[in-house]
């Protein structure tokens, strides 16, 4: 294997999984290395000037991506969003770190939030910052033995203690629904009992007494019920003005709770690869909180923007399974 990849693997303590191809391993290593470079730029100091500018961050990361792709041609499409060609990975990776508490903006500079906060996941600690002692990297996250300032996974997710059943009951209370002057013929309704992916489960008819409705894919979205006649009643869903926010895309949580309530939970397939790694395959897109968590502890499998397939350490599975079950996802293991 290329000496550069050997050096990255040793520095970040990332191991190859059973029968992993050179192309796959190179992608995982470079993906994590780009994250480390982003954080290192924010830690840099020169003449008491700490951090980096957004312009310098973007330029440095894009130059590094270009160098990796030149050395490893198989990476040429790994850092390109196939759904949005204009999506810049350097900005994408910065947003993830900024939203999850790794980075701060101070005096128009990006700086590292090196406060020592960590979360115990499995038998390791996800460290927010760059520790002074040795550490390992999984996905975009840094794992250290430092455990001086530990917060819970629930606190990180900014979640309450509600199970999916309790969440469903709180969100689909008949007293909250109201009459809204909407032509139902222009609406699409989500079918929670559909076996298709959530994005393919919308149609012109309301098939359950509670569900979601939308005027288009871009919204607006509503909670809807036929259980309080006459006619349909609605609860408007507040739009996500900043869809890449840590707490955005919460309507997906409603989708998982609906599917679980109507006994058609969305499955997550977990396939064991070897004694160290497994593959998680989701049939739908997660709310940002859970998605960003996965980005900090695993590698998107197909490319940097893959939101449904993740390579993860087996040590982290217990906590991830608990998080997924709590929002109504059914775990299927192979």
């Amino acid at each position: 294997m290329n000496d550069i990849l050997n050096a990255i693997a040793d520095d970040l303590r990332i191991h190859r999984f059973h029968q992993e191809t050179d192309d796959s391993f190179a992608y995982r290593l470079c993906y994590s290395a780009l994250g480390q470079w982003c954080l290192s730029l924010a830690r840099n100091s020169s003449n008491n000037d700490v951090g980096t500018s957004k312009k310098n961050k973007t330029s440095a990361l894009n130059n590094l991506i270009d160098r990796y792709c030149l050395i490893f041609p198989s990476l040429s499409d790994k850092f390109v969003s196939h759904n949005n060609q204009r999506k810049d990975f350097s900005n994408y990776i910065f947003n993830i770190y900024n939203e999850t508490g790794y980075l701060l903006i101070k005096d128009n500079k990006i700086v590292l939030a090196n406060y020592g906060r960590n979360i115990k996941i499995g038998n390791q600690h996800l460290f927010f910052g760059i520790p002074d002692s040795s550490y390992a990297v999984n996905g975009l996250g840094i794992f250290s033995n430092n455990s001086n300032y530990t917060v819970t996974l629930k606190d990180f997710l900014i979640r309450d203690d509600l199970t999916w059943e309790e969440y469903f009951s709180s969100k689909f209370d008949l007293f909250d629904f109201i009459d809204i002057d909407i032509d139902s013929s222009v609406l699409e309704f989500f079918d929670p009992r559909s076996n298709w992916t959530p994005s393919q489960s919308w149609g012109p008819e309301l098939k359950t007494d509670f569900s979601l409705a939308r005027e288009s894919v871009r919204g607006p979205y509503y909670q809807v019920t036929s259980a309080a006649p006459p006619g349909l009643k609605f609860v408007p869903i507040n739009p996500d003005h900043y869809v890449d926010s840590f707490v955005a895309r919460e309507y997906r949580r409603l989708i998982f709770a609906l599917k679980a309530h109507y006994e058609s939970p969305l499955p997550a397939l977990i396939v064991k690869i070897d004694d160290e790694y497994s593959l998680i395959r989701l049939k739908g897109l997660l709310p940002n909180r859970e998605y960003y968590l996965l980005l900090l502890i695993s590698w998107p499998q197909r490319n940097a923007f893959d939101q449904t397939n993740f390579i993860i350490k087996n040590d982290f599975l217990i906590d991830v399974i608990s998080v997924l079950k709590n929002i109504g996802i059914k775990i299927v293991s192979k």
Side-chain angles (χ1 to χ4, degrees), residues 38 42 50-55 57 91 94-95 97-99 101-115 242:
C38 181
V50 179
T52 187
S53 67
K54 291 184 178 180
K55 181 178 180 181
K57 174 270 305 176
N91 290 328
F94 159 73
N95 178 73
Y97 282 135
N98 187 45
E99 289 293 323
Y102 270 88
L103 299 176
L104 299 171
I105 304 295
K106 287 186 177 179
D107 300 323
N108 292 320
K109 285 290 187 71
I110 301 169
V111 297
L112 187 69
N114 219 25
Y115 302 131
Y242 177 34

Side-chain angles (χ1 to χ4, degrees), residues 220-238:
Y221 283 74
Y222 308 89
Q223 294 160 225
V224 59
T225 184
S226 60
L232 300 180
K233 290 183 169 54
F234 303 86
V235 175
I237 296 175
N238 292 329

Side-chain angles (χ1 to χ4, degrees), residues 84-191:
N84 184 353
Q85 296 293 326
R86 294 175 297 175
K87 200 162 193 175
D88 188 307
F89 182 69
S90 65
N91 290 328
Y92 180 73
I93 202 172
F94 159 73
N95 178 73
I96 292 162
Y97 282 135
N98 187 45
E99 289 293 323
T100 55
Y102 270 88
L103 299 176
L104 299 171
I105 304 295
K106 287 186 177 179
D107 300 323
N108 292 320
K109 285 290 187 71
I110 301 169
V111 297
L112 187 69
N114 219 25
Y115 302 131
R117 181 174 63 122
N118 69 85
I119 304 169
K120 190 171 187 296
I121 299 181
N123 294 312
Q124 302 181 50
H125 292 267
L126 173 62
F127 187 90
F128 291 83
I130 299 179
D132 294 329
S133 57
S134 63
Y135 61 86
V137 176
N138 295 283
L140 296 178
I142 291 176
F143 285 77
S144 159
N145 292 327
N146 184 305
S147 59
N148 295 331
Y149 171 24
T150 301
V151 299
T152 67
L153 189 51
K154 184 196 74 175
D155 288 338
F156 166 73
L157 293 172
I158 321 176
R159 284 299 317 280
D160 46 44
D161 291 319
L162 297 180
T163 64
W164 68 260
E165 297 102 325
E166 294 166 336
Y167 179 76
F168 176 88
S169 296
S170 70
K171 288 296 184 179
F172 290 93
D173 186 331
L174 281 177
F175 289 104
D176 295 332
F177 287 81
I178 60 174
D179 291 309
I180 298 180
D181 186 17
I182 303 175
D183 180 2
S184 61
S185 67
V186 304
L187 295 176
E188 289 184 308
F189 299 93
F190 179 69
D191 179 6

